[in-house]
Amino acid sequence: MIQSGIGSRVLALALVAPAVAVFGAFFLLPLARLFVVGLSGPEGWRTYAAVLVEPRYLESLVSTMLLAAAVTAVTLAIAGTSGLFLARNRFPGRALLVALLTFPLVFPGVVIGFMVIMLAGRQGLIGTLSEQVAGQRIVFAYSMAGLFLGYVYFSIPRVLLTVMAAAEKLDPQQAEAARALGARPWQVLVHVVLPALKPALLSAGAICFATAMGAFGTAFTLATRIDVLPMVIYTEFTLQANIAMAAALSFVLGIVTWLALSLARSLAGTSVAAAA
Amino acid sequence: MTTVTGARHGVAFWLQLGFTLLVCMLLVAPMLLSLLAGVTENYLVGIESGLTTRWIAEVLRGYSDTILLSLQVALACLAATLVLGVPVAYVLARRGNWLTRLFEELLTMPIAVPGLATALALIITYGGVGEFRRSWLFILVGHVLFTLPFMVRSVLAVMSAVDLRTLEEGAASLGAGFARRFFTIVLPNSLPGILSGSLMVVTLSIGEFNLTWLLHTPLTKTLPVGLADSYASLRIEIGSAYTLIFFVMVIPLLLLLQALARFGQPPR
Amino acid sequence: MSRDPLRFEPVPVRLNACAKTFPGGTRALEPIDLEIAGGETVVFLGPSGCGKTTTLRIIAGLEQPDPGGSVFFGSEDVTALPIERRNVGMVFQSYALFPNMDVAQNVGYGLRVRGIDRRRRDARVGEMLAMMQMEALARRRIDQLSGGQRQRVALARALVVRPRILLLDEPLTALDAKLRDGLRLEIDRLLRQLGITAIYVTHDQGEAMALADRIVVMSGGRVVQIGTPRDVYFRPADPFVADFVGTTNRLQAQAADGRLHVLGADVPWAGATGPLAVLVRPEDVRLDAVTGQAEAKVTTAMFLGDRTRLVVETGTGETLSIDAPGRASFAIGDTVRIAIDPDRLLAMPL
Ligand SMILES: Nc1ncnc2c1ncn2[C@@H]1O[C@H](COP(=O)(O)OP(=O)(O)O)[C@@H](O)[C@H]1O
Ligand SMILES: [Mg+2]
């Protein structure tokens, strides 16, 4: 190999050593412990089996996955439409619109939960409006529907940014070439633009799914009664003090989200996490 | 991709614009409502009850320790991710082999694995170390794990774009040793990435809840933990005022981050 | 529509007072009028930023001309038609092939959006690929093609729908020199064989000379000359054209009484009188130790293989580029005598 800037392997090792040490001691080792603790309950390895066998856990796992899938589909549709629109058009006020649309990007789950309460809670906007219009107060913040709204709310900015970044990198001449060949706007969209955006949509979707699977703060703020997996884990750990079960569930949850991201990455052929 | 600007916009344009504005309203409306509630005497009665700063004052009185702790953790987290992350990004940029790729892959796992699981793993492993468990450093560790990949990626992106190898070979041909090259060539040229990575780390750390909720103790409460408390137990005005303070802390960082991203882009 | 795949209807094109002002005020194109005969190959030539692409995009329907301008294909006013209804073939510098489709799917795309059924589509794509000698590539992915192959696929894709006119925007610029020469020949042969009206944009004068029936030389959003390649080369309309198309020397001269005083000597002269600038191409300056009118000193000698490009300084202090035979050798500081035939001189108003 050509003499590289880093003279030796030793130097490279020295540079990464602190990070490796911290990461090993505080992430890899604890994760391994988590797995082992999952096995250490009175049930042994059946604790893991219980995740898939016991209705309470299985239902929670399935409903969490369904929720995450629905959030992903709806967010992709909403943010994909707006993101493509914002990337393809220039008009006064566009920069402000983009800035406003990306604010929730760094809100923690609890704040998202509070936003949902502001929208759909007992004193929320939707309730007030619906009471004035239909004479009935619509309140859905403290349920799966509220959680759904919150996750969509949280995910829109990220998907929007990913789609916009990808759309701005598209070669505008491809769309022009398709038009020259007689393609209508919808045909350009379906045949040229969406296929080119596929990697970005896949990666944004995967992140959206993983976040919705593992998020905790929003559910925590809205109600402890929503049986999504993170809430079940929290309950097992704090109320039931069933540490083995909480560990097993956490481990399974981690595997599912990690798998979702890896799958999307291999499908998209790009670094999915890079869009996070 | 830009539609023929200056041409008359068709129906499709207006439909999409309307839709986008609607989405924007959905996102912004609750933020505005909560800002409003934070300075309203009585939110149930509405704005007619008068405007006040007493809720904000009350939050500052009761929760200033959470705000300070959050800032402390965020800055410490920034320092740690800089010291740990920049050298890693450098090695990843300069040496691409299976080992470095594996490490890069592993490093991003704390983003994929839910914070709750990571926190539980930390508690199971180190919960018994009383001193450590009770100190704010326990929270810091969680935040560093979660934010490190963002720092590494942001710096790595810039380092890959500027062709460090050529720059460094140029410097080496002029006789610069490793330390000199690192501080006079590598760091200055990676500055945009370091800057945006830093903003990202601070912003994420201030807002981190998923890990922190399990890692905190009654004596180590961060801002989001305090927020969760206030949402659960206090009146909506106080929760709103608290949220308002959070917005004031985070949104300037976010705007700065966006400005930096625009600035760093080649002109289109 | 003619059934002979190898002949196209020759559709004339007319631009009337087409100007373009972009939002933000950039005036990319002053009003231009242009007639292009059916079957003709016209090349827009000019430096980067002079408005070639803008003109092409107005013809394609990708840009609207400023109000008052109009575009005709034959007798049809197409100004208001969007590109997808103009039936033009377009070839881009970046190829703009669709990476999610293979070669055959790319070539067949225009037929697909026209709703032509699978069987007829496959037949015409096959025919087209055969004509371009690319049958073997039909199932290749785009990223498995070389640059030259990509551009041939782009050509095939544009032609298979039997467009009324073919528009090419710097189609060879992204290729390296060797490939460029090969493909240039191929495009030339194809355009002549098909008889399609073609408009070709380039900043490369060699390409323009080789391909054009007529060259439209542009500068700063204006047309500065329209003519055959020989016209443009031998009778440039102004010093800009002379300099952009080939290399020229510009000399100070004085004409009176049937003689022109240039380079310190007098030559017979029938042209304009008074102080003049005269242009002369390097290959039209002879080295002639016997009859040369003026003495000059060699300041640079660059061996180019087939010739040697000399830069000399004359006694009058003027600098000239001269082409000498490749086999003659020169050293810096050599003194040479140069001769210029008066009929090779081109007078320009000062
Ligand atoms: N979409 C646009 N918006 C604003 N200015 C443009 C646009 N497209 C081209 N221009 C400007 O118009 C002029 C002519 O451009 P163009 O026709 O692309 O030149 P050429 O193809 O001869 O290089 C240039 O100054 C260019 O910057
Ligand atoms: Mg151009």
Side-chain angles (χ1 to χ4, degrees):
Chain A
M1 214 181 107
I2 304 164
Q3 164 77 43
S4 103
I6 308 171
S8 68
R9 207 165 260 225
V10 179
L11 182 55
L13 271 178
L15 287 172
V16 294
V20 170
V22 168
F23 191 72
F26 294 111
F27 188 74
L28 295 182
L29 175 69
L31 223 54
R33 288 275 297 154
L34 187 70
F35 178 71
V36 174
V37 167
L39 289 173
S40 70
E43 309 282 322
W45 63 269
R46 279 194 209 87
T47 319
Y48 282 94
V51 177
L52 296 175
V53 174
E54 210 163 301
R56 186 165 118 68
Y57 302 129
L58 184 62
E59 269 165 32
S60 162
L61 180 63
V62 169
S63 64
T64 309
M65 286 175 77
L66 287 178
L67 173 70
V71 166
T72 306
V74 169
T75 308
L76 280 181
I78 293 177
T81 307
S82 290
L84 206 51
F85 168 75
L86 288 168
R88 289 161 62 134
N89 292 281
R90 294 288 177 274
F91 52 88
R94 174 183 173 278
L96 177 69
L97 197 54
V98 173
L100 289 176
L101 281 165
T102 48
F103 276 156
L105 196 60
V106 292
F107 292 178
V110 273
V111 170
I112 303 289
F114 191 59
M115 297 295 112
V116 173
I117 292 176
M118 278 295 173
L119 272 177
R122 276 181 280 275
Q123 300 171 37
L125 183 65
I126 293 173
T128 314
L129 289 181
S130 65
E131 189 163 47
Q132 276 167 14
V133 175
Q136 195 185 359
R137 233 183 148 75
I138 298 178
V139 174
F140 62 85
Y142 315 97
S143 65
M144 218 41 145
L147 204 55
F148 172 81
L149 178 65
Y151 288 170
V152 170
Y153 184 101
F154 175 72
S155 304
I156 282 174
R158 176 151 303 155
V159 177
L160 190 89
L161 285 180
T162 313
V163 170
M164 277 178 64
E168 273 163 14
K169 280 203 205 88
L170 292 186
D171 176 6
Q173 296 193 333
Q174 289 195 359
E176 289 176 354
R179 290 180 62 198
L181 291 166
R184 298 297 152 103
W186 72 264
Q187 289 172 315
V188 177
L189 184 72
V190 173
H191 298 150
V192 178
V193 176
L194 287 184
L197 288 180
K198 198 174 92 180
L201 290 174
L202 267 174
S203 73
I207 290 161
C208 194
F209 181 84
T211 316
M213 282 296 295
F216 166 65
T218 310
F220 180 80
T221 305
L222 291 179
T224 39
R225 282 182 289 107
I226 308 176
D227 270 344
V228 287
L229 203 49
M231 287 306 286
V232 173
I233 296 172
Y234 182 67
T235 318
E236 289 292 332
F237 180 64
T238 53
L239 301 182
Q240 324 273 14
N242 187 348
I243 298 187
M245 195 63 228
L249 285 169
S250 299
F251 199 83
V252 171
L253 181 59
I255 295 286
V256 171
T257 54
W258 186 73
L259 270 183
L261 287 169
S262 304
L263 191 70
R265 179 162 25 196
S266 65
L267 284 177
T270 56
S271 180
V272 165
Chain B
M1 192 94 303
T2 312
T3 52
V4 184
T5 24
R8 284 166 288 112
H9 292 302
V11 184
F13 174 88
W14 293 110
L15 277 178
Q16 291 178 74
L17 179 64
F19 178 77
T20 305
L21 286 174
L22 207 69
V23 174
C24 184
M25 256 165 55
L26 171 81
L27 295 195
V28 173
M31 293 170 60
L32 289 179
L33 286 178
S34 101
L35 290 182
L36 193 65
V39 293
T40 304
E41 195 69 49
N42 184 334
Y43 188 62
L44 256 186
V45 177
I47 196 125
E48 305 88 73
S49 61
L51 295 178
T52 177
T53 55
R54 63 181 252 238
W55 306 121
I56 295 176
E58 198 163 312
V59 172
L60 286 177
R61 208 171 326 113
Y63 288 99
S64 58
D65 54 334
T66 67
I67 297 168
L68 290 177
L69 181 64
S70 267
L71 288 175
Q72 178 184 341
V73 171
L75 290 179
C77 184
L78 173 60
T81 49
L82 281 174
V83 170
L84 297 176
V86 175
V88 168
Y90 173 72
V91 172
L92 292 182
R94 293 302 314 275
R95 291 181 90 95
N97 55 37
W98 68 270
L99 199 63
T100 55
R101 273 193 293 278
L102 174 72
F103 187 50
E104 188 182 2
E105 177 79 9
L106 285 176
L107 261 188
T108 53
M109 273 186 75
I111 302 180
V113 174
L116 199 63
T118 309
L120 207 57
L122 276 171
I123 290 174
I124 285 172
T125 313
Y126 296 105
V129 189
E131 281 293 312
F132 180 42
R133 172 74 183 92
R134 279 189 296 276
S135 83
W136 66 281
L137 294 175
F138 202 54
I139 296 174
L140 178 62
V141 164
H143 285 208
V144 169
L145 287 177
F146 176 62
T147 55
L148 188 59
F150 290 94
M151 176 65 87
V152 170
R153 237 190 272 141
S154 164
V155 178
L156 181 58
V158 173
M159 282 182 171
S160 313
V162 297
D163 191 9
L164 271 190
R165 169 182 291 263
T166 310
L167 289 180
E168 265 200 89
E169 282 172 354
S173 74
L174 297 170
F178 169 74
R180 177 172 283 255
R181 289 201 309 268
F182 189 79
F183 287 106
T184 61
I185 305 291
V186 176
L187 287 188
N189 281 295
S190 317
L191 207 57
I194 295 178
L195 220 56
S196 60
S198 301
L199 282 171
M200 195 74 199
V201 165
V202 170
T203 315
L204 286 174
S205 170
I206 291 179
E208 211 307 311
F209 177 79
N210 288 340
L211 283 153
T212 319
W213 182 253
L214 284 189
L215 298 181
H216 86 277
T217 68
L219 291 177
T220 56
K221 285 190 183 178
T222 63
L223 201 160
V225 171
L227 274 176
D229 268 354
S230 76
Y231 294 156
S233 53
L234 301 171
R235 42 186 310 167
I236 198 165
E237 291 86 352
I238 295 188
S240 294
Y242 207 166
T243 310
L244 191 155
I245 292 171
F246 172 76
F247 286 164
V248 168
M249 287 172 67
V250 162
I251 286 181
L253 290 173
L254 191 63
L255 289 177
L256 217 56
L257 204 59
Q258 286 178 347
L260 201 65
R262 251 199 308 282
F263 181 72
Q265 263 174 14
R268 287 172 30 84
Chain C
M1 198 182 274
S2 149
R3 286 283 71 211
D4 176 4
L6 296 184
R7 283 313 286 183
F8 279 68
E9 293 297 320
V11 179
V13 174
R14 198 166 83 237
L15 298 185
N16 285 338
C18 282
K20 183 67 191 179
T21 313
F22 282 108
T26 312
R27 179 79 157 176
L29 200 61
E30 303 295 334
I32 82 166
D33 296 289
L34 191 61
E35 298 252 12
I36 296 169
E40 191 179 21
T41 299
V42 165
V43 175
F44 293 167
L45 174 67
S48 166
C50 70
K52 308 178 296 288
T53 296
T54 305
T55 314
L56 195 77
R57 288 170 66 88
I58 288 175
I59 298 171
L62 285 167
E63 303 282 0
Q64 274 291 309
D66 291 349
S70 55
V71 180
F72 283 80
F73 289 178
S75 57
E76 185 190 354
D77 182 349
V78 297
T79 316
L81 283 188
I83 182 169
E84 57 265 33
R85 311 234 320 262
R86 284 194 189 186
N87 194 19
V88 295
M90 195 145 181
V91 176
F92 298 88
Q93 178 177 340
S94 69
Y95 323 120
L97 297 177
F98 310 130
N100 52 312
M101 307 177 197
D102 65 19
V103 167
Q105 287 169 328
N106 262 282
V107 174
Y109 184 73
L111 303 171
R112 175 172 157 204
V113 297
R114 280 168 175 70
I116 293 180
D117 69 59
R118 193 43 175 272
R119 221 167 31 81
R120 295 209 350 245
R121 208 197 305 164
D122 287 349
R124 281 177 61 182
V125 168
E127 221 168 69
M128 197 63 191
L129 289 176
M131 186 175 96
M132 307 285 288
Q133 285 154 22
M134 289 191 304
E135 300 107 312
L137 303 179
R139 297 266 78 98
R140 288 270 187 98
R141 282 205 326 268
I142 299 309
D143 56 12
Q144 296 169 320
L145 302 179
S146 71
Q149 291 171 331
R150 285 180 204 203
Q151 202 50 289
R152 278 156 62 208
V153 174
L155 257 171
R157 181 178 72 175
L159 287 171
V160 78
V161 295
R162 307 191 58 80
R164 290 196 277 186
I165 58 175
L166 182 63
L167 306 171
L168 307 101
D169 193 353
E170 312 241 5
L172 303 182
T173 304
L175 301 172
D176 55 52
K178 256 255 153 46
L179 264 175
R180 201 150 54 208
D181 291 346
L183 202 54
R184 186 170 78 187
L185 278 173
E186 210 172 311
I187 291 180
D188 187 46
R189 195 165 39 79
L190 196 67
L191 294 181
R192 311 224 161 264
Q193 178 189 351
L194 299 176
I196 189 174
T197 309
I199 304 172
Y200 187 109
V201 162
T202 182
H203 66 270
D204 180 314
Q205 46 128 345
E207 252 168 75
M209 300 282 207
L211 290 171
D213 291 321
R214 283 191 303 155
I215 296 178
V216 176
V217 187
M218 298 181 68
S219 166
R222 279 172 221 280
V223 172
V224 286
Q225 184 170 9
I226 303 179
T228 64
R230 302 185 81 79
D231 279 343
V232 170
Y233 192 79
F234 292 122
R235 277 182 296 282
D238 64 13
F240 167 80
V241 177
D243 211 41
F244 192 75
V245 183
T247 311
T248 52
N249 296 295
R250 187 187 167 98
L251 302 170
Q252 299 304 319
Q254 181 80 37
D257 306 330
R259 311 218 34 98
L260 183 76
H261 189 71
V262 62
L263 293 175
D266 279 351
V267 292
W269 181 251
T273 58
L276 292 174
V278 292
L279 306 178
V280 61
R281 301 230 177 247
E283 69 268 26
D284 290 336
V285 183
R286 285 182 296 115
L287 293 176
D288 193 326
V290 183
T291 62
Q293 299 112 323
E295 198 159 86
K297 217 179 219 45
V298 175
T299 59
T300 312
M302 208 185 328
F303 176 58
L304 298 173
D306 55 340
R307 65 208 144 94
T308 301
R309 169 68 52 95
L310 299 178
V311 180
V312 302
E313 199 179 310
T314 65
T316 54
E318 286 175 294
T319 305
L320 265 89
S321 295
I322 303 175
D323 280 349
R327 296 199 180 273
S329 91
F330 298 88
I332 291 174
D334 283 358
T335 301
V336 293
R337 288 196 74 83
I338 56 178
I340 304 173
D341 294 336
D343 60 347
R344 299 284 166 88
L345 288 172
L346 241 140
M348 293 284 159
L350 264 184

